[in-house]
Amino acid sequence: MTEEQFQLADRIAKIKSINEMYDLENKSYISFSGGKDSVATSLLIDMALPKNKIPRVFIDTGIEYNEVREYVKWYQNKEPKTIIIKPQVNVKAMLEEYGYPFKSKQHSHNVAIYQRNGMTKTNINYLGKGYKVTFLCPKMLHYQFTPEFKIKLSDKCCYKMKKEVARKYEKESGRSICITGIRMAEGGYRNYQTACTIFEDENLKMFHPLKPCTDDFINYVFQLTNFPMCSLYKEPFNFKRTGCRGCPFNIELAEELETLLKISPKQAKAAYKIWKPVYDEYARINYRISKELLKKLQS
């Protein structure tokens, strides 16, 4: 038995066990993004629970890649359990009210705390001037913890565009357990969240069946099932992720924007229109986006 075969058996057993304890078939839904991990999650659920009726819920915020929306529509035709929800949220208005994402969720969250409450112990530590913490603010971004920095930041974008919509679906459907494709291998803060199950008041709220899985395992699931991936993972895109188009949190943002400018320039320009204040600031301080790339987006 190969390592991938062993992990497949282990994950199927885990899903069956959680279903027996918490009735996933009647109380859960899959957070479906159209990306590799959420599709692999759906494939594993079907292997473990044949003929299940667990909904696949895709939240179409309007800032997904065109290729993702096309893939999800294709998937919906193949899998009628797929539900597409379009939140009634104006992205630009939401960003202006709550703040823009910058660098990472933690950084944006910390700057938002400073902009609301001034310097706190949390940010003293984050700036490396107090207790040692795992994640420190890069020195080149310390200026954002001063009154001179005027761009309103926050980590609320995903919450307002997706999580609030998901919570509304949970209340209306009675399916309160969210199954995700989150993995530790994605890096960042998720490496410190090791549990496959998340509880609130002793109730199971989230189940991450892929939590310990590697990229090799995800590819193995697709090879085993011969199931197609979204075209963004293939030539000519070769993207490694399929989140929101042009998301400022993406550490490979520049590479993706350069690719879009060559293949789908309208999508690159649309991303700039949404994230303009952040892209402009990235280019000004030469962080993630160069001045040359910014000129291409503006042309």
Side-chain angles (χ1 to χ4, degrees), residues 17-235:
S17 173
I18 295 296
N19 180 56
E20 290 175 3
M21 290 188 286
Y22 301 103
D23 193 12
L24 296 178
E25 294 194 72
N26 293 300
K27 296 182 179 179
S28 74
Y29 68 98
I30 296 173
S31 179
F32 191 81
S33 68
K36 287 171 65 175
D37 292 348
S38 71
V39 177
T41 299
S42 296
L43 294 171
L44 283 178
I45 292 292
D46 286 342
M47 290 182 206
L49 308 173
K51 299 182 181 179
N52 72 83
K53 296 181 180 180
I54 299 174
R56 280 65 169 161
V57 179
F58 175 73
I59 299 175
D60 183 358
T61 64
I63 54 177
E64 281 77 25
Y65 289 98
N66 295 343
E67 291 75 14
V68 168
R69 286 204 290 271
E70 291 169 3
Y71 179 82
V72 172
K73 288 179 182 178
W74 169 84
Y75 187 93
Q76 186 181 44
N77 288 331
K78 184 178 182 65
E79 180 48 82
K81 296 191 288 285
T82 307
I83 298 170
I84 299 176
I85 301 175
K86 294 188 177 183
Q88 301 301 308
V89 179
N90 182 291
V91 181
K92 286 290 288 182
M94 182 276 298
L95 291 171
E96 290 170 3
E97 179 179 358
Y98 292 96
Y100 285 82
F102 197 106
K103 182 189 179 294
S104 66
K105 287 186 178 181
Q106 179 173 350
H107 179 81
S108 301
H109 176 71
N110 284 10
V111 174
I113 291 174
Y114 169 78
Q115 291 178 336
R116 289 195 309 267
N117 305 317
M119 192 59 69
T120 62
K121 288 183 178 180
T122 296
N123 282 331
I124 290 172
N125 296 337
Y126 181 57
L127 292 171
K129 301 176 181 179
Y131 291 110
K132 290 184 178 180
V133 294
T134 302
F135 298 104
L136 287 175
C137 178
K139 289 185 178 179
M140 69 180 301
L141 299 182
H142 281 207
Y143 76 97
Q144 295 186 352
F145 294 86
T146 67
E148 287 71 32
F149 181 66
K150 301 300 183 183
I151 302 175
K152 188 174 183 180
L153 303 186
S154 84
D155 60 340
K156 296 289 186 183
C157 184
C158 289
Y159 181 81
K160 301 300 295 185
M161 297 298 295
K162 295 181 180 180
K163 291 185 180 179
E164 276 193 349
V165 180
R167 297 296 174 266
K168 184 174 183 290
Y169 169 79
E170 290 174 7
K171 290 181 180 179
E172 293 175 348
S173 67
R175 292 180 174 270
S176 59
I177 302 171
C178 178
I179 302 175
T180 81
I182 289 175
R183 296 187 293 127
M184 288 176 64
E186 294 174 278
Y189 182 65
R190 288 175 176 178
N191 276 344
Y192 296 86
Q193 299 173 308
T194 57
C196 289
T197 51
I198 305 296
F199 293 84
E200 288 182 10
D201 299 324
E202 299 184 354
N203 296 314
L204 180 63
K205 291 300 295 180
M206 303 189 80
F207 176 38
H208 313 306
L210 295 184
K211 198 67 175 181
C213 299
T214 63
D215 291 343
D216 287 342
F217 176 76
I218 300 302
N219 291 330
Y220 169 74
V221 171
F222 279 94
Q223 292 168 4
L224 181 67
T225 58
N226 197 31
F227 202 86
M229 299 179 185
C230 175
S231 61
L232 287 179
Y233 294 107
K234 307 171 185 177
E235 293 284 354

Side-chain angles (χ1 to χ4, degrees), residues 246-264:
C247 176
F249 286 155
N250 183 8
I251 62 175
E252 296 182 348
L253 175 62
E255 291 83 352
E256 289 198 5
L257 289 173
E258 290 281 13
T259 300
L260 281 180
L261 283 167
K262 294 176 183 177
I263 302 169
S264 183

